[in-house]
Amino acid sequence: MNIFVTGASGWIGSAVTDELLANDYAVTGLARSDASAAALEAKGVTAQRGSLDDPASLAAAAKGADAVIHLAFNHDFDNYDAAGRTERAAVSAMLEALEGSDKAFLFASGAAGAAPGRTATEEDPSPFHGSDSMRGGSENLALSYADKGVRPVALRFPIVHGRAGDPGFVTYLAQVAKTRGVSGYIGDGDNRWASVDRPDAAHLVRLALEKAPAGFRAHPVAEEGIPTREIAAALGQRLDLPVRSIDPEDAPDHFGWMAMMFGLDLPTSSEITRKTLGWDPKGPTLMDDIKSGAYDV
C-alpha cells in the first residue's frame, strides 16, 4: 500500500513515516522545501513538493494513494483563524477526492473542548464546526464522510513528547523558564495535560490505519492527565530554576501565546482506543523525558 502523508518530515509525521516504512508500506510525503524533500527521499520516501495552500495538488495526491494520513498544520498562533481556514480547505479537497473510494483518511485533531470539567473519551464529539472554529472544524467535517464512502479516523493527539528535538509546547515552556529565570505554572497548577511518547503515538497511527472503523476518534494517550504544576516542577528541577505560581492575570505577559493553552484542563482517556486497536504504550513518560534532559535548552 502507498500512503500519502502530509507533515511527513515533522515531529509526529517523521515518526509515523518511519513506522510505516518499517512495516512494509510505501510512503509518499508532502515536502514544502528542498531540504525536507531530500530528507524524505534519503529514507526511501517519494517526496511530493507542495503545501497546504495548494488544495488541488493535495487532492491529486490523495486520489493516487491507497490511504491518506494528514498530519500537517500551519501552527501560526498569530493568525490562527487563517490557519484553520487553510486546514479546512485542505481537508475538504482531500475528502472530496476520496469520496466513494472506501479509502482511509486519518487526520490530526485534538480533544480540547470535547468534555469541559471531566475526562474526555472517544465518544465525546468535537464542539467545533465551520471554517472559523478551531482547526477549521475539520474533525466534524471529516467524520461526516463516513457516510460518503470514506473511512475517516480522527487522531486526537495530546502532548507528544520525545527524547530530543521536540519543537512543541514543552520545549517552549522550557525556553520561557530559562528566559524568565523561573519555571512557572498558572494559578494552582491543578489543570492537567495528557501526553504520549512519540514512538507510541506513531505505533497508534499505524494500528488506526489498519484497524480503526470509519468515524472512529482515536486517542493516542498514554498518561491521562499530568498536573501542569508537576510539569513546571520537573522542568525547574532539571534546569536548576525556582518554581513559582503565575497569577492568571499575569500569565499572558509571562508565557505569551502559550498562556491560554497552559491554563487548559485537558485530561483524556484512551480506554476505548486501547481496546479497539490493541494499543499498549510502553515508552517513557513525560517526566522521564524531562529528567533525562530531553528539554534542556
Side-chain angles (χ1 to χ4, degrees):
M1 290 181 67
N2 179 37
I3 315 300
F4 176 50
V5 180
T6 72
S9 58
W11 173 244
I12 300 174
S14 58
V16 169
T17 295
D18 291 344
E19 173 78 12
L20 293 173
L21 293 173
N23 286 274
D24 298 323
Y25 288 92
V27 178
T28 297
L30 185 68
R32 289 184 299 172
S33 67
D34 291 339
S36 294
L40 291 173
E41 290 169 351
K43 61 170 71 175
V45 173
T46 299
Q48 174 167 318
R49 289 298 305 272
S51 73
L52 297 184
D53 295 313
D54 186 1
S57 69
L58 295 174
K63 193 168 186 177
D66 296 306
V68 175
I69 302 177
H70 173 49
L71 302 175
F73 186 75
N74 180 15
H75 289 92
D76 182 359
F77 291 98
D78 292 325
N79 197 1
Y80 204 70
D81 289 344
R85 291 190 290 271
T86 297
E87 171 74 356
R88 189 177 183 88
V91 169
S92 295
M94 289 186 281
L95 287 168
E96 289 173 8
L98 295 175
E99 188 171 351
S101 68
D102 292 325
K103 294 178 181 178
F105 180 78
L106 281 64
F107 59 97
S109 187
R118 62 174 175 80
T119 299
T121 77
E122 295 87 341
E123 295 179 342
D124 292 311
S126 168
F128 304 115
H129 298 266
S131 59
D132 291 328
S133 63
M134 185 175 289
R135 297 184 77 100
S138 59
E139 177 173 313
N140 283 308
L141 171 66
L143 296 186
S144 74
Y145 273 73
D147 297 325
K148 299 179 181 180
V150 181
R151 181 164 64 92
V153 178
L155 303 167
R156 288 176 160 181
F157 291 106
I159 297 299
V160 180
H161 58 87
R163 299 189 180 186
D166 181 354
F169 295 144
V170 182
T171 294
Y172 182 86
L173 290 173
Q175 291 169 342
V176 170
K178 289 285 283 188
T179 299
R180 299 289 188 179
V182 58
S183 182
Y185 56 90
I186 300 174
D188 60 16
D190 284 340
N191 62 298
R192 297 152 291 176
W193 276 6
S195 74
V196 66
D197 179 50
R198 182 168 166 249
D200 280 333
H203 183 212
L204 180 282
V205 174
R206 178 175 64 82
L207 292 177
L209 173 66
E210 295 170 350
K211 300 180 180 182
F216 188 68
R217 304 178 188 94
H219 285 189
V221 172
E223 295 180 279
E224 286 194 2
I226 309 164
T228 54
R229 178 182 63 254
E230 294 181 11
I231 296 172
L235 287 170
Q237 182 177 16
R238 178 66 196 184
L239 300 175
D240 195 23
L241 294 171
V243 180
R244 178 164 59 87
S245 170
I246 306 300
D247 189 281
E249 292 186 0
D250 298 328
D253 287 336
H254 186 91
F255 293 104
W257 61 263
M258 173 62 93
M260 181 185 71
M261 177 63 70
F262 201 38
L264 294 177
D265 189 37
L266 300 172
T268 307
S269 169
S270 60
E271 182 178 353
I272 296 174
T273 296
R274 295 180 191 227
K275 290 180 179 178
T276 302
L277 303 180
W279 182 60
D280 183 21
K282 299 182 181 298
T285 66
L286 175 57
M287 295 304 173
D288 289 337
D289 278 344
I290 293 174
K291 292 174 182 177
S292 72
Y295 294 95
D296 292 357
V297 293

